[in-house]
Amino acid sequence: MEFRGAHILSVQQFNREDVDTIFSVADSMEPYAHRLRMTKVLDGAILGNMFFEPSTRTRVSFGCAFNLLGGEVRETTDVKASSISKGESLYDTARVISGYSDAIVMRHPQVGAVAEFAKASRVPVINGGDGSNEHPSQALLDLYTIRKELHSKGRGIDDMHIAMVGDLKHGRTVHSLSQLLMLYKNIKFTLISPKELRMPEDIVSNLRNAGNQVIETEDMEKGLSDNDTVYLTRIQEERFTTKLEADIYRGRFRLNQAIYTRNCQPNTVIMHPLPRDSRADANELDNDLNQHPNLAIFRQTDNGVLVRMALFALILDVTEQIDDSSSKVNWYTEGRFE
Ligand code: NCD
């Protein structure tokens, strides 16, 4: 694909070569993300960071990624504080904000809203999550993490076995990640969820039609065996009509040290897009795995900055100039990324 000026709305817009391009630019961002050097390549540029749903990682890491490239960030984080609450359309908001910004990241509770916004935008728009539909930058950082983790164990993505666990019906991260994995060969997916929260039928049939093996099960312990990666998700309570309805499923599937040791391969990488729901009745990924060397959740969040920097550099077409405007940093930075 042509990255320059492109909107990033869905993983379906990428081919394998595009993913390789993003990952190699992400690799080159390491000295900047790790505060060894700084760059001013986006000096003067403004990011409109518009989050109309709760977010910690995605919002802050997109903002940091833009800052680390030398740009400024303007945030809108509350529908009530924006003119959308006065009845303004996405079309008008997009025309206005794109006049103030050089790139926009948007998260919105409605499926398709970010794509609709992008149509009216005068600058590139990145989908930071649209309802239960897609979360393309999360899928890229997840895949980037999987690639790194498996590489350190002498393996690649092709022929990988992955278990996805939890609310696969509403989880946009697993929708995007599984579809991104269709670019690779012969993946075995074990989809572990309550049957009411299964992965949408159309995604499952796309995975199968692309030649992948897909097993759907409610038996977590059995499903966990024989995987390179296990990817846990939170029950997406905000997508249910009532909290009571979500309560039925909360805590149904949990991974802790004992379950991991009993069922997983010793090398299985543990992932979660976060936030994990650490309340006692949920606790889908237990704190007793915090020190486990295969727990990759905080490597995922660190990698998110690299991947988001790469997306900005590509869509704003500055990948060649990053090192030109770089210099050393002056503040204390040791130890954080070791
Ligand atoms: C996820 C999301 O918002 O879809 N979080 C994230 O962006 N890392 C997952 C979730 O909220 O459960």
Side-chain angles (χ1 to χ4, degrees):
M1 67 174 273
E2 168 70 24
F3 282 101
R4 187 171 192 261
H7 302 304
I8 307 290
L9 300 173
S10 161
V11 292
Q12 296 189 33
Q13 70 195 88
F14 303 126
N15 61 31
R16 201 160 154 161
E17 200 184 314
D18 300 328
V19 173
D20 288 344
T21 301
I22 296 167
F23 289 177
S24 93
V25 178
D27 287 341
S28 74
M29 294 300 174
E30 219 173 271
Y32 303 105
H34 292 186
R35 277 72 162 179
L36 299 173
R37 296 195 62 77
M38 59 181 169
T39 175
K40 289 275 159 214
V41 75
L42 289 186
D43 193 14
I46 294 174
L47 173 70
N49 213 18
M50 308 186 71
F51 276 74
F52 297 134
E53 266 195 337
S55 173
T56 302
R57 273 146 293 273
T58 308
R59 178 175 59 81
V60 178
S61 68
F62 265 120
C64 286
F66 209 78
N67 287 151
L68 285 165
L69 291 167
E72 298 273 348
V73 181
R74 291 275 169 274
E75 291 205 331
T76 309
T77 52
D78 187 358
V79 177
K80 284 191 236 85
S82 117
S83 284
I84 288 184
S85 69
K86 298 181 186 172
E88 186 164 58
S89 66
L90 281 173
Y91 176 87
D92 286 3
T93 310
R95 297 303 295 172
V96 173
I97 299 296
S98 59
Y100 303 157
S101 316
D102 297 280
I104 294 172
V105 177
M106 178 180 257
R107 170 172 287 189
H108 197 286
Q110 256 165 286
V111 172
V114 182
E116 189 188 329
F117 180 92
K119 269 198 216 133
S121 170
R122 296 178 258 172
V123 299
V125 174
I126 301 179
N127 181 0
D130 63 322
S132 59
N133 184 33
E134 276 237 34
H135 195 345
S137 67
Q138 179 72 41
L140 287 166
L141 79 87
D142 288 338
L143 186 60
Y144 183 77
T145 305
I146 291 172
R147 192 186 69 145
K148 264 196 182 164
E149 298 286 322
L150 295 189
H151 192 253
S152 72
K153 296 171 170 57
R155 308 215 39 187
I157 301 171
D158 289 321
D159 304 313
M160 176 185 71
H161 293 187
I162 183 167
M164 295 179 167
V165 187
D167 185 352
L168 307 183
K169 177 181 179 189
H170 303 108
R172 55 193 169 201
T173 65
V174 280
H175 298 167
S176 288
L177 178 58
S178 56
Q179 294 183 92
L180 191 59
L181 281 168
M182 286 195 342
L183 298 176
Y184 297 81
K185 285 197 213 95
N186 195 30
I187 310 280
K188 181 178 160 199
F189 293 88
T190 304
L191 305 177
I192 304 168
S193 70
K195 60 176 179 318
E196 299 82 0
L197 303 183
R198 278 164 53 183
M199 184 73 91
E201 204 59 60
D202 57 326
I203 297 183
V204 174
S205 51
N206 287 344
L207 297 177
R208 287 204 173 112
N209 291 341
N212 302 295
Q213 192 186 340
V214 183
I215 294 166
E216 293 182 277
T217 179
E218 290 193 89
D219 185 342
M220 177 168 177
E221 301 228 1
K222 221 177 191 172
L224 285 180
S225 67
D226 184 34
N227 286 291
D228 300 285
T229 303
V230 50
Y231 190 102
L232 299 135
T233 64
R234 177 181 67 86
I235 299 298
Q236 309 278 295
E237 66 178 36
E238 64 276 35
R239 310 278 175 236
F240 290 80
T241 14
T242 62
K243 185 178 163 300
L244 271 179
E245 212 189 311
D247 285 345
I248 302 171
Y249 305 106
R250 220 191 302 274
R252 181 92 73 91
F253 297 117
R254 290 177 164 161
L255 189 68
N256 59 28
Q257 179 77 58
I259 296 172
Y260 180 87
T261 311
R262 203 159 57 232
N263 300 285
C264 295
Q265 301 291 314
N267 264 341
T268 304
V269 180
I270 307 163
M271 296 178 63
H272 191 304
L274 302 182
R276 54 178 154 170
D277 187 342
S278 295
R279 290 169 289 193
D281 61 340
N283 207 24
E284 70 270 0
L285 174 55
D286 201 286
N287 283 328
D288 72 358
L289 283 162
N290 281 358
Q291 303 309 319
H292 200 290
N294 293 337
L295 184 78
I297 55 176
F298 302 117
R299 295 192 283 278
Q300 281 173 272
T301 54
D302 283 350
N303 288 336
V305 175
L306 301 174
V307 167
R308 288 171 174 138
M309 288 176 81
L311 290 176
F312 287 133
L314 284 161
I315 65 179
L316 296 175
D317 197 19
V318 293
T319 52
E320 301 302 320
Q321 291 102 280
I322 290 165
D323 295 332
D324 297 350
S325 61
S326 93
S327 58
K328 68 181 187 52
V329 301
N330 298 313
W331 62 92
Y332 174 76
T333 63
E334 272 164 42
R336 265 199 285 179
F337 293 99
E338 280 157 11

